[in-house]
Amino acid sequence: MTGAGTPHPLRARLRSLRSAAFGADSTGERMERIRRSPNFGDGIFQNPVGTRHRPSGSTLDFAKVYFDRESRARRAPSGTVPVHPTTVADLARPPATGLRLTWLGHSSVLAEMDGARILFDPVWGERCSPFPFAGPRRLHPVPLPLAALGRVDAVVISHDHYDHLDLPTIRALASTDTVFAVPLGVGAHLEHWGVPASRLRELDWHESTEAGGLRLTATPARHFCGRGLRNQQHTLWASWAVAGPEHRIYHSGDTGYFEGFRDIGAAHGPFDATMIQLGAYSEFWPDIHMTPDEAVRAHLDLQGGAPHGVLLPIHWGTFNLAPHPWAEPAEWTRDAAGQAGQAVAAPRPGEPFEAAGKLPAEPWWRDVSRPLTPGWRRPPAAPGANRENLDLAGER
């Protein structure tokens, strides 16, 4: 029963039984390229600074926080999330200023910029999970069908976690003629799901490609990767800087705070708009996700240290992935950005806006949120510092 004398060893047989959503491992020339990467060492991809990507502290303490009945109730909206009724006509009309962003929930954003259309981290699936019957389920519907987006010049993926790289969405997009810009190693998953190698642009940090007249550059991030229980760390994670003839934008993917934002801004900024992760944070994993305070600081770093452009909060509101209350990222961001004098957009899912136009600012989440205790309104900790004294949602 070991597979001896048969054409496939046991490992290959077991691998063939796993769900397609787990993706595929890198092999051949792709794996050789991974090994040659300056960001690959000791058999795995490395972060730009020391990073803990497994939950810290006591498992029992985390379980008490995560499964507390009152805490669980706060982690979901108390009513129906008001999704904006975006139409095909809305997106067919060119942006008057040359740059329009549409937050489609979580980290999915359609950027229409200088005549091109870039779709970041598209997730249209009902769950961010390898299984259709388990895992975090959407807290609001997708604002519009994929087909309603119209032409997409490039799909940009930040990393291969399920809430950023979604099998049914990629398979639907594989039938179009769009190109896929992905971090090194992620292409193995997409080829496994039917994306032709000719439409893959697989990049290491600081490498660039072009699509629709825009320059897309994979930039460093502080996170990790993997889609299975046996995480080999053989796929890279990235943030993305996109430059066109008239505009520049930045998508953070998932990341903890690190000093590298300043270098990214110096090399590729300043940006007309940034899309920055500021949800799913916790004191149990302080190195791999940012609080709103840290996200605002990251935006300012990217802009050379001073308020500039527009900050679009992402990675919140769509999936329940952390102990904090559902609406806390939105409220905390309003406070942090207000203190910094930084413009922030607050669109409903699916609501297009132009970075140089009137920004959506209504706190719509308050109508469907349970009351919040603003424990973040204390003197903020330095970015990346020990946050054991912060009043995060998990401590309430």
Side-chain angles (χ1 to χ4, degrees), residues 88-130:
V88 174
D90 290 333
L91 300 179
R93 184 173 55 253
T97 62
L99 174 60
R100 180 168 62 205
L101 301 178
T102 306
W103 178 53
L104 297 158
H106 202 57
S107 295
S108 303
V109 181
L110 176 67
E112 299 167 271
M113 175 172 144
D114 297 346
R117 309 174 98 233
I118 308 296
L119 183 59
F120 292 95
D121 284 358
V123 174
W124 260 249
E126 183 64 21
R127 296 181 185 271
C128 49
S129 166

Side-chain angles (χ1 to χ4, degrees), residues 113-118 151-154 179 209-216 242-245:
M113 175 172 144
D114 297 346
R117 309 174 98 233
I118 308 296
R151 185 196 87 252
V152 173
D153 293 285
V179 299
T209 190
E210 292 194 3
L214 305 181
R215 188 167 184 82
L216 289 68
V242 181

Side-chain angles (χ1 to χ4, degrees), residues 65-205:
V65 168
Y66 201 80
F67 294 107
D68 174 75
R69 179 176 296 180
E70 181 179 352
S71 174
R72 290 181 69 183
R74 289 173 178 261
R75 295 202 301 269
S78 59
T80 301
V81 175
V83 174
H84 183 80
T86 309
T87 66
V88 174
D90 290 333
L91 300 179
R93 184 173 55 253
T97 62
L99 174 60
R100 180 168 62 205
L101 301 178
T102 306
W103 178 53
L104 297 158
H106 202 57
S107 295
S108 303
V109 181
L110 176 67
E112 299 167 271
M113 175 172 144
D114 297 346
R117 309 174 98 233
I118 308 296
L119 183 59
F120 292 95
D121 284 358
V123 174
W124 260 249
E126 183 64 21
R127 296 181 185 271
C128 49
S129 166
F131 308 109
F133 53 84
R137 174 176 281 171
R138 301 185 69 92
L139 300 174
H140 64 78
V142 292
L144 74 169
L146 264 176
L149 293 178
R151 185 196 87 252
V152 173
D153 293 285
V155 172
V156 176
I157 303 296
S158 64
H159 64 299
D160 68 357
H161 285 160
Y162 289 95
D163 56 325
H164 297 259
L165 181 61
D166 179 54
L167 167 61
T169 305
I170 296 300
R171 280 185 168 166
L173 290 166
S175 63
T176 69
D177 60 359
T178 187
V179 299
F180 294 79
V182 303
L184 188 54
V186 174
H189 300 317
L190 273 64
E191 281 195 71
H192 185 59
W193 298 337
V195 177
S198 62
R199 286 177 26 220
L200 288 173
R201 309 291 185 266
E202 203 164 347
L203 307 182
D204 204 343
W205 289 343

